[in-house]
Amino acid sequence: MDNHSSLTIKGIGAAPGIAIGKAYLLERGRIPVPRYRLLGDEAVADECRRFEEAVAKAESDLEAIKKSIRSEFREHARLLEVQQMIMRDPSIYDESLRYIQKERSNAELAVIKSLRKARDLFSGLNDENARSRIADVNAAGDRVIRILAGQSHASMEEIRERVIIIAHDLSPADAIQLQVGRTLGVVTEIGGSTSHTSIVARSLNIPAVVAAENAAHLISMGDILIVDGGTGTIIVSPSESDLSFYYERQEELEAYVKQITRHAHLPAETRDGHRVGAEANIEVLEEIVAAKDNGAEAIGLYRTEFFFMNRLAFPDEEALYRDYRDLSELMAPCPVTIRTLDLGAEKLTSWFPRLEETNPALGLRSIRLCLHYKELFKNQLRAILRASAIAGNIRLMLPLVSGIGEIFQTKLILKEVQTELSRKRIPFDQNMPFGVMIELPSAVAVADLLAPEVDFFSIGTNDLIQYTIGIDRSNEHVAYLYEPLHPGVLRFIKQAVDAGHEAGIPVALCGEMAGEPMYVPILLGLKIDSFSMNPLSLPRVKNLIRRSSMKECCRFAGKVLRMRTAQEVNRSLRKMVMRKFPEEFRVFEPNYDRNAAVPARHSLETQE
Ligand code: PEP
Ligand code: MG
């Protein structure tokens, strides 16, 4: 008998695949800081030296990190330079020394006091840019304090081997820096399957589990782990038999994905000849290669805000123009859908002032933020319009539209920009398609009014589910309520599709639901015209579309729309998919219990 002791932690599977390797804990918590008064002049002199050495060490650490940063994240290197400058700024450096010498504070405390003073100074200024420097001041101080307190500063850039990252949380900006070559898997204690961290992990093809309660406490640096990003299972210190089971599954999975990827370039057409679009969602241009390799016929969603994150200042029009021009050229003649800035809520930048909002998800975000900061919006629109002249394949899309007013307001601003460009004889595509995302219940309710005003709809189920059911999509405590198959959600999708078709416009779906093979029969049956998803899901979804019958799917959707609960729909759907596409279960969920309606909530169990 194997008397090995392992621990199983359950979370939510956020990006499929199996990772087997060593744990690397990212420190994100508060550091316990010693506070004491120095006795005697010698102690003061020693403490000044200790402080100076800590700053020098922080500087050399930053220098080493800068050298290892991938070229596409050059902006991040500039953020690190700002940290270096802040530490040498007299308001931090000289002031800390003064606290040590005059108030006889220990170095950690002296740094904390000088940071507090600098923060107060910045937040009192009337300059938004200066106020946004507070995050950099904190990061710089945190680094020096950790060195003084003898804690290594475990950060992503310092990873030197292939590891599984364990963190309490990763911001979308953190996630975009994951080193693909070095990150085998990701585990976070909080988050949901459609939080942007999960979306980024999926697009980087890194197996991920989120909402793994207490993972950062239960797992130690260097522990051997198995992370199953499909089922949300983490096994700490696995037994030999666990290891051989998962190694085998890993191989089987890779072989299956390889096999279906060979057919990824065939059209997404059902057995009975119904053709739909198969498009890709991307966050950075580097993903275009994966999109093409996996059979994307268009970019259905370019999340432009990621270009704005991780940089020191607002990108100027030229930088934006070059980005959109490259996107257009790389995909031409295929269409590319550029979604205007969807900043706010969890997607923040260091250059943009963090607003004091109690409910950021209900706050000044997305299209509202752009309409509020008109110059920021015009800057982006100008860059998009200029790029639209190159290959004529750009489509413009607005996020989080709540009603027709935002469409009219945007059209007025767009007209202003077009007039300015025409006056300067700068060309742009006069017929650039203009569409909106359907992500709010109010947009669904007035979809019949919106449809005649636009050229296409794209349903963003990630937000639509969040706002329909009234739960935060990144909140692990209510993740069990995040039900894509909720009858309310399915009815809303149908209502939006019907309104679009009534007005003769196509309706795409670009939320994470589109990339979930299990939902193919329902979404086909609800008559979605294009499926837009993270590039790596395309082969699986296309494979199922090609093997489906539209007639059967429509019949099935009709039946499902009469069901009363998500569980009922889920059971029926799984039964159908298991019957029609058994290999999907065999490969991705070998332990699937056909009687379980929905995955169990996170539980903790110890195996002996
Ligand atoms: C959505 O809400 O479904 C969507 C695609 O947009 P995002 O995930 O970027 O909010
Ligand atoms: Mg959204």
Side-chain angles (χ1 to χ4, degrees):
M1 224 184 86
D2 189 358
N3 59 3
H4 180 96
S5 176
S6 64
L7 175 75
T8 301
I9 304 171
K10 283 294 245 180
I12 297 173
I18 290 161
I20 302 174
K22 267 199 227 163
Y24 184 94
L25 264 85
L26 273 189
E27 290 166 32
R28 280 285 187 277
R30 291 178 74 81
I31 324 153
V33 178
R35 292 159 190 259
Y36 48 85
R37 273 177 72 77
L38 303 164
L39 299 173
D41 292 346
E42 206 175 314
V44 168
D46 285 349
E47 200 66 359
C48 288
R49 209 170 312 116
R50 199 165 75 87
F51 167 74
E52 284 159 359
E53 282 167 10
V55 173
K57 163 99 175 62
E59 269 176 336
S60 66
D61 286 354
L62 284 169
E63 218 33 64
I65 297 168
K66 259 167 45 190
K67 288 204 180 93
S68 70
I69 285 183
R70 278 161 52 189
S71 59
E72 57 269 35
F73 299 122
R74 273 188 301 268
E75 274 297 325
H76 187 71
R78 288 181 54 208
L79 280 179
L80 299 179
E81 274 163 23
V82 171
Q83 280 191 35
Q84 283 177 316
M85 271 155 36
I86 286 173
M87 287 184 308
R88 286 288 173 190
D89 191 277
S91 67
I92 306 283
Y93 194 86
D94 297 356
E95 200 60 13
S96 297
L97 283 173
R98 200 187 64 75
Y99 280 120
I100 298 173
Q101 287 158 344
K102 296 275 175 327
E103 296 191 7
R104 300 187 166 252
S105 303
N106 64 311
E108 290 91 335
L109 191 55
V111 176
I112 287 180
K113 285 179 179 172
S114 61
L115 287 176
R116 193 179 303 143
K117 211 162 151 186
R119 272 195 305 263
D120 288 349
L121 185 78
F122 277 132
S123 50
L125 292 177
N126 221 351
D127 171 355
E128 282 176 0
N129 226 354
R131 282 207 300 269
S132 68
R133 282 286 82 84
I134 292 177
D136 301 315
V137 170
N138 287 339
D142 181 70
R143 186 171 289 278
V144 177
I145 293 170
R146 276 185 195 278
I147 293 169
L148 285 166
Q151 290 197 6
S152 65
H153 194 98
S155 79
M156 231 146 14
E157 303 91 342
E158 288 161 38
I159 297 170
R160 293 282 171 270
E161 51 181 342
R162 288 166 66 76
V163 288
I164 296 172
I165 291 177
I166 315 294
H168 174 64
D169 184 21
L170 285 182
S171 70
D174 281 335
I176 203 87
Q177 287 170 54
L178 290 172
Q179 310 252 350
V180 179
R182 295 192 193 137
T183 311
L184 293 170
V186 172
V187 173
T188 63
E189 291 183 318
I190 66 171
S193 67
T194 58
S195 56
H196 288 91
T197 304
S198 305
I199 291 174
V200 172
R202 264 196 292 280
S203 65
L204 296 173
N205 202 17
I206 297 174
V209 174
V210 297
E213 246 173 89
N214 281 324
H217 293 103
L218 296 166
I219 299 170
S220 309
M221 197 77 143
D223 275 351
I224 300 295
L225 306 179
I226 295 173
V227 174
D228 183 342
T231 60
T233 307
I234 303 150
I235 305 178
V236 189
S237 307
S239 64
E240 283 298 325
S241 63
D242 284 335
L243 281 169
S244 64
F245 173 78
Y246 277 96
Y247 273 126
E248 221 170 277
R249 275 201 59 206
Q250 207 176 27
E251 260 177 41
E252 214 180 339
L253 246 166
E254 277 164 18
Y256 178 72
V257 170
K258 213 163 162 186
Q259 182 217 327
I260 56 170
T261 306
R262 271 192 228 121
H263 307 292
H265 289 88
L266 296 172
E269 186 174 312
T270 61
R271 283 193 283 119
D272 45 354
H274 179 80
R275 173 102 187 241
V276 293
E279 309 184 348
N281 295 349
I282 60 165
E283 288 78 45
V284 289
L285 298 202
E286 284 71 24
E287 288 179 84
I288 291 177
V289 178
K292 286 185 161 179
D293 287 352
N294 287 287
E297 299 155 359
I299 299 298
L301 167 66
Y302 176 35
R303 292 184 162 99
T304 59
E305 54 282 359
F306 280 80
F307 190 79
F308 288 68
M309 291 151 68
N310 251 338
R311 47 179 65 230
L312 282 175
F314 176 69
D316 62 20
E317 186 188 315
E318 274 318 299
L320 294 175
Y321 166 71
R322 283 195 300 273
D323 192 56
Y324 306 148
R325 177 198 63 195
D326 292 352
L327 169 71
S328 161
E329 284 179 344
L330 287 166
M331 282 304 293
C334 302
V336 296
T337 315
I338 301 186
R339 177 177 73 182
T340 57
L341 207 51
D342 191 23
L343 276 182
E346 61 171 348
K347 289 184 281 195
L348 302 165
T349 68
S350 62
W351 51 266
F352 202 77
R354 200 175 278 245
L355 301 169
E356 289 298 328
E357 294 181 310
T358 317
N359 279 316
L362 304 181
L364 191 63
R365 57 168 296 205
S366 310
I367 188 66
R368 308 161 186 182
L369 184 131
C370 287
L371 292 171
H372 189 79
Y373 296 102
K374 197 170 145 189
E375 282 313 308
L376 176 117
F377 197 22
K378 280 177 84 172
N379 205 49
Q380 188 183 32
L381 291 176
R382 226 172 357 246
I384 295 173
L385 279 168
R386 281 173 56 199
S388 73
I390 299 168
N393 61 342
I394 293 183
R395 308 187 284 211
L396 184 77
M397 181 163 79
L398 310 183
L400 213 77
V401 164
S402 64
I404 206 159
E406 285 150 346
I407 295 179
F408 290 152
Q409 269 177 283
T410 303
K411 281 190 174 175
L412 277 180
I413 297 175
L414 195 62
K415 189 87 212 133
E416 263 178 54
V417 179
Q418 287 171 331
T419 311
E420 275 170 36
L421 291 177
S422 300
R423 210 176 294 131
K424 292 182 188 156
R425 298 189 189 289
I426 298 174
F428 59 87
D429 178 5
Q430 309 265 358
N431 301 313
M432 178 174 66
F434 178 94
V436 288
M437 291 192 69
I438 302 291
E439 304 183 272
L440 291 172
S442 63
V444 177
V446 296
D448 59 324
L449 304 178
L450 306 182
E453 300 301 327
V454 297
D455 301 307
F456 63 92
F457 278 166
S458 187
I459 305 176
T461 44
N462 304 340
D463 278 316
L464 185 60
I465 297 168
Q466 145 165 288
Y467 294 113
T468 300
I469 306 178
I471 44 127
D472 177 351
R473 67 195 249 195
S474 324
N475 182 335
E476 69 282 7
H477 302 297
V478 287
Y480 69 102
L481 283 174
Y482 193 88
E483 293 174 324
L485 300 177
H486 189 294
V489 173
L490 298 180
R491 286 180 192 198
F492 274 0
I493 295 176
K494 177 168 171 26
Q495 214 172 309
V497 173
D498 289 350
H501 288 173
E502 188 70 27
I505 61 166
V507 182
L509 193 146
C510 67
E512 294 304 294
M513 269 184 96
E516 172 52 60
M518 194 71 67
Y519 300 148
V520 163
I522 287 197
L523 297 181
L524 275 176
L526 288 173
K527 304 206 174 77
I528 292 292
D529 299 301
S530 322
F531 290 56
S532 191
M533 66 201 83
N534 89 73
L536 299 160
S537 297
L538 279 161
R540 279 177 74 193
V541 170
K542 267 188 155 181
N543 176 47
L544 295 204
I545 292 174
R546 289 180 55 77
R547 294 168 55 202
S548 299
S549 140
M550 185 61 180
K551 216 164 122 200
E552 257 177 34
C553 292
C554 289
R555 213 178 311 126
F556 180 68
K559 190 175 101 183
V560 152
L561 282 169
R562 289 191 295 275
M563 292 181 180
R564 295 183 305 173
T565 63
Q567 286 77 2
E568 213 180 316
V569 180
N570 191 35
R571 254 194 310 270
S572 173
L573 184 58
R574 285 187 164 236
K575 218 161 94 195
M576 182 203 196
V577 174
M578 191 179 294
R579 188 163 42 85
K580 299 223 163 271
F581 317 108
E583 67 291 346
E584 276 287 320
F585 280 94
R586 190 173 52 72
V587 179
F588 289 94
E589 294 184 56
N591 297 327
Y592 173 63
D593 170 5
R594 63 182 67 210
N595 297 316
V598 281
R601 268 197 82 184
H602 1 119
S603 61
L604 245 178
E605 53 196 72
T606 309
Q607 286 177 352
E608 287 301 332

